[in-house]
């Protein structure tokens, strides 16, 4: 079963609007990371939030983490057409060896 | 700075053939990972190596094998290819929290 489940699966907004994507996970984590992927391309690391952090900002990105609910959200403010991509959360599991487990992804479409 | 290098970028093979994918991690990164991403799917963890020893294994078919060499590059070998093996294969390397992904190898099995 998936460690990370994301919702919504797809999100369609207009340029200038904010986009919020949510991720839930099941097991204890070291950190949670968000990645972006343009269609059929590589995974680009966006932001990492550690298990002892609650909120983190990077440019137009804001990530929150609630370890009690095992959930995270990614907010993209003032979205642009170039933000159109798939966004994945990935959990770095709290086991002996590091491993990233990806969620199911949210496909974001930003229309001009 | 050098990133994770994967080769080839694209590969077309016929059913039942064998494919070898290569990954060159970032220098001094101690762990290498392989992921498989099918069309419209999320990346699935296959296998990882820490300091050249297999450290974890995911949903990797028995037809697949991987190893990490003394120069830290890694190879994913896939035999008896099936149509369902068509996917994007990513390699990543890490040191502590930092993961870096390669651009992937797109394998098409026909």
């Amino acid at each position: 079963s998936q460690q990370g489940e994301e919702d919504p699966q797809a999100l369609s907004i207009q340029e200038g609007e904010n986009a919020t994507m949510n991720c839930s996970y099941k097991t204890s984590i070291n950190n949670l990371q968000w990645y972006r992927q343009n269609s059929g391309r590589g995974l680009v690391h966006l932001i990492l939030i550690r298990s002892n952090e609650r909120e983190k900002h990077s440019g137009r990105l804001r990530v929150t983490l609630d370890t009690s609910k095992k959930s995270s959200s990614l907010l993209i403010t003032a979205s642009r057409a170039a933000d159109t991509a798939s966004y994945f959360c990935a959990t770095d599991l709290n086991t002996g060896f590091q491993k990233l487990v990806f969620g199911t992804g949210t496909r974001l479409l930003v229309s001009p | 700075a050098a990133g994770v290098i994967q080769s080839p970028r694209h590969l077309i093979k016929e059913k039942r053939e064998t494919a070898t994918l290569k990954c060159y991690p970032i220098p001094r990164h101690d762990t290498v990972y392989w992921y498989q991403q099918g069309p419209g799917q999320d990346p699935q963890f296959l296998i990882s190596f820490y300091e050249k020893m297999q450290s974890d294994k995911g949903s990797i078919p028995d037809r697949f094998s991987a190893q990490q060499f003394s120069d830290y590059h890694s190879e994913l070998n896939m035999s008896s290819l099936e149509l369902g093996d068509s996917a994007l294969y990513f390699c990543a390397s890490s040191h502590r929290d930092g993961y870096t992904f390669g651009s992937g190898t797109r394998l098409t099995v026909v």
Side-chain angles (χ1 to χ4, degrees):
Chain A
S1 61
Q2 291 294 332
Q3 161 73 340
E5 299 286 339
E6 294 186 54
D7 78 271
Q9 288 189 341
L11 181 61
S12 184
I13 59 174
Q14 299 289 317
E15 265 192 327
E17 293 181 335
N18 295 342
T20 300
M21 289 160 267
N22 302 296
C23 167
S24 61
Y25 58 92
K26 297 177 183 176
T27 62
S28 178
I29 63 171
N30 286 324
N31 61 68
L32 185 144
Q33 305 177 29
W34 286 89
Y35 287 81
R36 167 198 166 115
Q37 184 180 38
N38 285 36
S39 180
R41 306 294 291 277
L43 292 158
V44 176
H45 179 264
L46 295 176
I47 196 167
L48 179 154
I49 186 165
R50 299 185 194 285
S51 59
N52 61 352
E53 296 176 313
R54 292 297 167 257
E55 187 171 314
K56 205 161 184 179
H57 298 253
S58 176
R60 293 184 296 112
L61 305 180
R62 173 176 168 257
V63 170
T64 63
L65 179 66
D66 187 335
T67 52
S68 66
K69 295 181 180 177
K70 292 188 169 56
S71 67
S72 173
S73 68
L74 171 67
L75 168 67
I76 303 174
T77 60
S79 62
R80 307 165 181 167
D83 294 329
T84 294
S86 290
Y87 292 82
F88 293 93
C89 71
T91 48
D92 191 348
L93 301 184
N94 192 12
T95 59
F97 289 103
Q98 284 183 291
K99 179 173 70 179
L100 274 184
V101 179
F102 284 84
T104 50
T106 294
R107 289 186 302 279
L108 175 65
L109 172 63
V110 183
S111 302
Chain B
V4 175
I5 307 298
Q6 289 188 247
S7 68
R9 292 293 303 273
H10 302 274
L11 190 58
I12 299 175
K13 290 284 186 178
E14 295 188 354
K15 282 193 303 185
R16 293 180 290 278
E17 284 192 318
T18 297
T20 298
L21 278 53
K22 296 185 178 182
C23 170
Y24 297 85
I26 290 176
R28 291 181 292 282
H29 276 197
D30 51 28
T31 308
V32 169
Y33 311 81
W34 285 96
Y35 286 82
Q36 177 193 57
Q37 186 180 28
Q41 305 294 313
D42 55 285
Q44 293 289 314
F45 171 75
L46 292 177
I47 196 166
S48 63
F49 293 88
Y50 173 75
E51 288 292 341
K52 293 167 281 185
M53 298 291 291
Q54 182 181 309
S55 55
D56 204 348
K57 200 169 181 179
S59 48
I60 183 169
D62 291 342
R63 299 177 291 108
F64 292 9
S65 65
Q67 56 183 326
Q68 188 175 25
F69 295 86
S70 58
D71 65 351
Y72 289 87
H73 94 273
S74 179
E75 295 184 2
L76 177 65
N77 297 292
M78 297 176 284
S79 61
S80 303
L81 287 169
E82 302 173 356
L83 295 178
D85 296 329
S86 295
L88 198 52
Y89 290 83
F90 288 107
C91 172
S93 69
S94 75
H95 178 66
R96 296 182 182 173
D97 291 334
Y99 289 80
T100 303
F101 281 80
S103 299
T105 293
R106 181 169 295 283
L107 172 66
T108 302
V109 181
V110 297

